[in-house]
């Protein structure tokens, strides 16, 4: 249901077959390199430099070697249950965003994690409770040490937050009654 190109001419695919399969195809020869069951369908994928494919499924973020399918690292995404997560990779960091269910009542909040692409360790977490818990309209990492998060579900309109990718701290925020561009 999703795909991402690998650094070495492959294509990683989330395939809705059975309980969900992660598959990497070598595009130069048209053959499947490897296939692994992941026990989930519709999971997000990302490819990172150094020959890794990332998949967020079953409350875990897992890094696989794009040539062999060997697990490089796992990071548990608990204690939350993630709803519609998405991944982006930039400058050695993985940004995971989505709605999470917290607490006994299953309160939905928006969460953003900054994770090292090298070892899978969560470097920082941002949890924001909006009146509307829809995912951000955009999450745009920039190599110059700036990450832009635009959310139209912010009380009063649209919020544009600029975050420090190393710490996840908000450098500045602008709220406007107008929709996101």
């Amino acid at each position: 249901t999703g795909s991402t190109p690998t650094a070495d001419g492959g294509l990683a695919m989330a395939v809705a077959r059975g309980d969900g399969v992660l598959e990497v195809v070598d595009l130069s020869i048209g053959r499947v390199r490897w296939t692994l069951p992941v026990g989930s369908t519709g999971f997000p994928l990302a490819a990172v430099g150094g020959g890794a494919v990332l998949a967020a499924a079953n409350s875990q973020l897992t890094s696989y070697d794009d040539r062999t399918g060997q697990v490089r690292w796992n990071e548990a995404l608990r204690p939350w249950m993630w709803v519609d997560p998405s991944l982006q990779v930039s400058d050695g960091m993985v940004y995971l965003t989505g709605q999470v269910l917290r607490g006994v009542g299953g309160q939905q909040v928006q969460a953003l994690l900054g994770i090292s692409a090298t070892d899978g360790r969560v470097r920082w977490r941002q949890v924001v409770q909006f009146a509307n818990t829809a995912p951000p309209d955009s999450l745009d990492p920039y190599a110059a040490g700036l990450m832009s998060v635009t959310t139209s579900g912010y009380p009063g309109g649209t919020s544009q937050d600029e975050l420090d990718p190393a710490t996840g701290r908000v450098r500045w925020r602008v709220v406007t009654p107008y929709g996101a561009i």
Side-chain angles (χ1 to χ4, degrees), residues 90-91 95 138-149 160 162 165:
S90 178
D91 204 27
Y95 301 101
S138 67
L139 172 65
D140 302 309
Y142 298 101
L146 193 64
M147 181 180 14
S148 175
V149 181
Q160 179 74 40
E162 298 299 323

Side-chain angles (χ1 to χ4, degrees), residues 30-87:
R31 291 204 177 114
V32 174
R33 286 185 191 161
W34 52 268
T35 301
L36 290 173
V38 292
S40 179
T41 59
F43 52 90
L45 295 173
V48 297
V53 174
L54 304 176
N58 302 317
S59 296
Q60 286 194 52
L61 180 62
T62 304
S63 175
Y64 299 93
D65 184 286
D66 68 2
R67 305 291 295 155
T68 65
Q70 291 291 104
V71 173
R72 291 182 171 187
W73 52 258
N74 270 321
E75 176 65 33
L77 299 175
R78 288 182 169 60
W80 304 328
M81 170 63 85
W82 287 80
V83 179
D84 297 326
S86 66
L87 293 172

Side-chain angles (χ1 to χ4, degrees), residues 154-181:
Y154 197 83
T158 298
S159 167
Q160 179 74 40
D161 295 9
E162 298 299 323
L163 305 179
D164 180 340
T167 65
R169 290 189 185 111
V170 176
R171 290 182 175 173
W172 53 264
R173 171 179 291 145
V174 174
V175 177
T176 176
Y178 303 105
I181 297 175

